[in-house]
DNA sequence: TCAAAAGTGTTAGATTTACACCCATGA
DNA sequence: TCATGGGTGTAAATCTAACACTTTTGA
């Protein structure tokens, strides 16, 4: 292989992941205490350096898999962070992704093994380097996306109640919505289908369980929450 | 300085700029024939490798300045592109920005010097590497942004007519809008102020010139086009 | 005098918001 | 029997979309 660009200098590139989950009516992310210097012991996002033979998306998938043991996680790039001194160790450009998972899918053993915790986005401690900025941007982007694309289902179990879905929207967008109006809008979305299963875990009466129908969505993908 | 991350490998990082302009009722971008190998002679975005001592934003500003001679250009990051083989020369991660300029501000001599041309986004030739993908994404992001933030003014002269503004929206969003409805919406935006100047270059009767009042926008920044 | 762009209001329809009560059940 | 969360409809207000003619002026 010929090298064309040898006069230019190279830089370390890492991938940092903001993993969103929804639990106890709160939007949360996974953070842990940093296990390496510099910044050992500080709260931090989970990340890793990219390898020679993998794309950015592949690196993000690898990092997500390392941490959670899960594959095919919904994931979006947030952007690249490149201040010269953003990392106290050495210059590192970080490409940030956010991911959405159902907290129930993430094994508690693995969580403990990696020393990460679900913390509500509204109650985050100061994080390592510019990680708080990353989270703020990712959260904003996710808010916008969730109102135009059916990504909320990645944060919920396959079967969910309308109240769960509503609480999720409220947690993500940070404002309460009217129950009747919310349900009216959901009814107009043909890709959210009612099953005839009932969830009785959260009320005596029981609530209908719904599910996302991807095929129906692809046929008529219009919605605006 | 201690090196903390020496076991990880580094990679070339470039910055590519999608420079939008508005001319003859079309949204256009600056592209040129590539002057280096590999890909010499192919149509391409303008870009450059980042330096050790500059942030990504600074690199983008530098590249924009090199090309246009302009400072303080409105600029937004689009994201990082990182497929392993995206560049036929060597692995390069590219961080993409879009920028908005008023075509009149860009000296034609400089254009010729750099061999770049304004080409309508709807009539782009195949570009080097993944540059077409970059443009498509940048265009989409800009479309969304222009409907929520007053960035259109960066593509127009300080003083502009409502017809110019309308044509710009139509060009960016790719659909015609109703003249009366458009003007009604503009009237509700207090930060677009009418001057008592008249532009007679595009009609016998003359059209009122308007200007963006940034201060007024910061006081009451609500709009949705 | 006429061609060409500027400018201007109204109305019907669609969408959004606000709002309160009954239901089913297990403890 | 009662406390708890589940489920439902209507009306007013707002917003959106469709639509056509008059004005000005330079050539």
């Amino acid at each position: 292989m010929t090298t064309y660009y040898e006069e230019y200098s190279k830089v370390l590139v890492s991938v940092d992941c903001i993993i969103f989950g929804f639990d106890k009516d709160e939007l949360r992310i996974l953070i842990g205490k940093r296990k390496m210097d510099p910044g050992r012991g500080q709260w931090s996002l989970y990340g890793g350096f990219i390898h020679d033979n993998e794309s950015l998306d592949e690196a993000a998938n690898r990092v997500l898999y390392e941490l959670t043991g899960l594959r095919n996680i919904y994931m979006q790039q947030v952007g690249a962070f490149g201040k010269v001194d953003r990392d106290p160790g050495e210059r590192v450009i970080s490409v940030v992704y956010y991911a959405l998972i159902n907290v129930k899918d993430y094994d508690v053993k693995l969580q403990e093994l990696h020393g990460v915790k679900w913390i509500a986005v509204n109650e985050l401690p100061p994080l390592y380097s510019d990680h708080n900025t990353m989270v703020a941007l990712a959260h904003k982007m996710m808010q916008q996306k969730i109102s135009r694309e059916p990504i909320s289902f990645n944060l919920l179990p396959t079967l969910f109640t309308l109240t769960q879905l509503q609480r999720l929207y409220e947690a993500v967008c940070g404002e309460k919505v009217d129950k009747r109006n919310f349900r009216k809008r959901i009814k107009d979305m043909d890709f959210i289908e009612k099953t005839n299963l009932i969830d009785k875990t959260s009320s005596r009466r029981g609530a209908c369980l719904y599910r996302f129908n991807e095929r129906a969505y692809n046929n008529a993908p219009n919605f605006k929450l």
Side-chain angles (χ1 to χ4, degrees), chain A:
Chain A
M1 174 177 141
T2 325
T3 55
Y4 287 96
Y5 309 127
E6 40 187 39
E7 68 219 270
Y8 303 102
S9 56
K10 299 185 176 184
V11 52
L12 284 166
V13 176
S14 71
V15 157
D16 286 314
C17 293
I18 295 158
I19 301 167
F20 286 109
F22 175 64
D23 195 31
K24 307 210 194 69
D25 287 0
E26 293 271 12
L27 183 69
R28 296 163 192 275
I29 65 170
L30 281 173
I31 58 173
K33 298 267 176 97
R34 216 172 126 89
K35 293 190 176 118
M36 73 199 296
D37 280 315
R40 189 184 296 270
Q42 283 182 252
W43 286 104
S44 164
L45 296 172
Y46 194 81
F49 289 95
I50 63 156
H51 297 172
D52 289 338
N53 56 347
E54 64 184 2
S55 69
L56 290 168
D57 287 5
E58 284 159 2
N61 273 308
R62 171 176 55 77
V63 166
L64 287 169
Y65 179 72
E66 273 169 30
L67 180 64
T68 65
L70 302 171
R71 297 274 191 207
N72 295 116
I73 294 179
Y74 178 86
M75 192 183 86
Q76 285 287 313
Q77 193 192 105
V78 173
F81 286 69
K83 286 221 183 88
V84 176
D85 295 322
R86 52 172 295 282
D87 192 290
E90 185 176 346
R91 177 164 202 187
V92 180
I93 286 172
S94 184
V95 179
V96 178
Y97 285 79
Y98 72 79
L100 307 182
I101 71 173
N102 171 10
V103 294
K104 300 281 157 52
D105 289 345
Y106 187 21
D107 192 78
V108 177
K109 296 260 158 58
L110 259 178
Q111 264 174 62
E112 286 164 2
L113 184 69
H114 286 101
V116 291
K117 284 205 164 63
W118 288 109
I119 307 287
V121 288
N122 302 320
E123 296 163 12
L124 288 180
L127 304 177
Y128 178 72
S129 179
D130 49 4
H131 289 193
N132 286 291
T133 314
M134 293 171 174
V135 175
L137 181 58
H139 185 188
K140 203 171 110 195
M141 288 175 65
M142 205 264 276
Q143 264 179 10
Q144 292 191 15
K145 193 125 189 152
I146 209 170
S147 304
R148 333 201 129 269
E149 289 173 53
I151 61 172
S152 38
F153 310 111
N154 296 293
L155 291 161
L156 293 172
T158 312
L159 296 170
F160 51 87
T161 68
L162 293 184
T163 301
Q164 276 180 292
L165 188 60
Q166 183 180 341
R167 295 283 170 271
L168 169 56
Y169 274 102
E170 291 173 339
V172 171
C173 299
E175 51 190 23
K176 289 245 174 295
V177 306
D178 179 86
K179 180 166 58 160
R180 277 177 289 189
N181 292 334
F182 182 81
R183 290 161 107 100
K184 235 180 297 169
R185 287 199 295 269
I186 299 297
K187 232 167 231 145
D188 292 340
M189 302 179 194
D190 297 333
F191 54 87
I192 300 186
E193 43 176 48
K194 192 169 180 167
T195 67
N196 41 25
L197 303 166
I198 305 287
D199 169 272
K200 308 211 55 153
T201 58
S202 64
S203 78
R204 309 194 194 296
R205 176 178 172 178
C208 290
L209 285 164
Y210 289 73
R211 117 179 81 199
F212 172 55
N213 183 328
E214 191 167 355
R215 171 178 307 233
Y217 176 72
N218 292 329
N219 290 339
N222 346 295
F223 99 95
K224 167 73 189 304
L225 197 104

